[in-house]
Amino acid sequence: MTSIIGPASFKFFGIFPAAILSFIIPVIGVGLFTYIMVRRIAPLVRANPDNRFDHVAMRVKNLIFIWLGQMRHPRYLLAGVLHITIFAGFLILSIRSSSLVIIGLSDGFVLPGLGGFLGNIYNFIKDYAATFVLVACIIAAIRRGIFKPKRYAVPEKYGKDHTGEAVFVLGIIATLMISESLFEASQIAHEFQITGQAHFLAPLSLVWIFKIILSSTPQNFLQGLHIFVYFVHDLTFFFFLCFLPLGKHFHVITSVFNVFFMRVQKGKIKPVMHGVEDDKLDDLESFGVKKLEDFTWKHMLDFYSCADCGRCSDQCPANAAGRPLSPRFITIKARDLMFKNYPLSGKIYKSKLLVEDIYTQDEIWSCTTCGACEEECPLGIEYIDKMVDLRRGMVDEGMVPQSLQKPLKALEKRGNPYGKMEKKRADWANDKEFKANFQMKDLAKEKADTLYFVDSITSYDDDMQNIARRTSIILKKAGIDFGILGKLEKDSGNEVLRFGEEMLYQDLKEQNTEAIMATGVEQIVTADPHAYNALKNDYGIPLPVKHISQVVAQKIATGELDLKLCQNPEAVYVYHDPCYLGRHNGIYEEPRQALDAIEGLTRVELEKSRDRSFCCGGGGLMLFYEPEEETRMGVLRVNMAAKAGATVIVTACPFCLVNIQDAIKVAGKEGQIEVMDFTELIEKHLI
């Protein structure tokens, strides 16, 4: 025997050409995979439309950083490093696996460009990649099968545990790594025995180790091993390809598409129906998502793309508070329904009402739309739009919680959730002491450069009206010419939209837009992140919108606003990022810059801050909703602040202020910790 016989030339029992098997396996594998994919695509074809071909440059950027660069994975360090190792190894070895398929038909086949120096470099990298992937698989299998991190657990009510499938797939990947390395090592060991010529191999790599082990093995055994591991690799490769679309590892195929098509505009809610203008909504027979096919094709792709990693639920404040919501299972239950209604063979089953079939009303209403789940997901899976669409469907079916019916009716009648008279919206400006030093402009009668949009909670809640007065004082001190809409202002509708009352939101938006544009202002300022989000992202008004923290930070930077020494230097301050200021709009630094401009102020950071900030649970109409929960979100947040050593929580949102004030009482921390609004702290330190 002069050289080892490759699979393309080998004959079983000296009669049957192995090349026939090398041909049959890929043909069957690709054919079966194509059939499975056609069945899996069926629900996406029946889904609602979704415009995801805009902002191409941003989508390519997401593809490079989020999918290829895996930038979100290290947020969970060990799991992230393991996944990045396996992912990178897969990309590197995909070239080798593809060429191995052809080697079964043509011995010695080398992909163009990889036959010389570049091929040697690739083989060096590839051998280490296979080694690192095997090590990562072993560590991951031990972690999943023995240590079992809590976030992977599946409560009985949500179905079967997925640990077995995860470990099985890790075993498949390990088999691919071992068989590829043995295939190469057996050939090199065989050639070494015949020619005595040693090949340079990556030290301590799998191929290097296997070559040493096989160096004195009989040549006949090496020949048999060479062919055996080739077909083990070939069969495993195509089995794995067909297995992927059958469960949670479908994300290996769909993730690249899901990340490319992921949301690129934060803070904005999808339209009721893509392609239907707001003035044509009355023509729709049904609103929102009621049945499976009412989801858009992108949202169905989300269901297929879930890796079941549990990061979304681990960061979800509703889940942490013990509410009947786990974002992870919103996706998994829908995917299971897709598999059930669209089986691999036989007829397609008719979908039922989702809220009666796989979801509960409390589950859908428990979401605060804080965005923590979406920020964490490494695959670009969206939840807020799905929740809003499900709520739209529930509202259309009359499934509105009793506690929300009164504020929604008040909003429809009076333009605010409290049911108070429109003419009282600006009563906060009539405070005797404030009015003595300040004359507020009514933009229905006077002109100004800037509109201060107050919104409902700050206008009508007695405890929150100080925010409006302090914001006005700050704006005046900053030299900004501004006024208010007064009785012409309606609720911004940020929460109305997110609670599924689409037509009510459209009415509020239309009235506000008309009133704002009639003033002729050049910009809008608000101290309410929810109003900020609605005006900036939902309304589409062609005017710049700023939060008061942005104005303060800017004026401090230009020297137009000076702050005095800290009035309470013994206190330890911590800034709580409101969801609709931070995660939804990326305003993290300006409030901190303003606080740090107060000389002598001691500030610490919460463990969960910035894009991982923990929702207080008080956003918008959540103040009126009575959820089923074990612990209040606000209480959890107050305990986090206490753990950080803070004595004062500063927030820049009236809803956060209300909820955290109440949470301090419930947590029994009165006298130990207090909360104040950003405007209160700044106003106290104005020179």
Side-chain angles (χ1 to χ4, degrees), residues 7 42-44 47 63 86 122 174 259 310 342 377 447 456 458 486 519 537 548 614 617 656 659 680 683:
L44 276 70
L63 205 60
I86 294 172
Y122 170 74
V259 171
Y342 291 83
C377 182
K447 292 291 182 181
S456 296
T458 311
T519 64
N537 298 315
I548 187 62
F614 190 88
C656 294
N659 220 43
E680 179 182 355
E683 192 266 339

Side-chain angles (χ1 to χ4, degrees), residues 617-642:
L621 294 179
M622 279 293 167
L623 292 177
F624 300 93
Y625 180 54
E626 299 167 1
E628 173 193 333
E629 59 187 0
E630 296 170 6
T631 309
R632 296 177 66 169
M633 290 184 208
V635 171
L636 294 174
R637 192 55 165 163
V638 167
N639 289 336
M640 291 177 196

Side-chain angles (χ1 to χ4, degrees), residues 72-139:
R72 290 186 176 180
H73 281 276
R75 291 163 74 96
Y76 285 78
L77 191 57
L78 177 57
V81 170
L82 292 174
H83 190 278
I84 290 171
T85 301
I86 294 172
F87 175 80
F90 248 82
L91 292 183
I92 294 168
L93 286 155
S94 62
I95 299 172
R96 173 63 167 168
S97 293
S98 300
S99 65
L100 278 175
V101 174
I102 303 175
I103 285 172
L105 301 171
S106 174
D107 286 332
F109 172 80
V110 177
L111 286 170
L114 294 181
F117 179 68
L118 283 178
N120 292 332
I121 293 176
Y122 170 74
N123 285 333
F124 182 81
I125 296 172
K126 178 263 297 179
D127 290 344
Y128 275 129
T131 307
F132 290 139
V133 168
L134 179 62
V135 172
C137 285
I138 293 170
I139 295 172

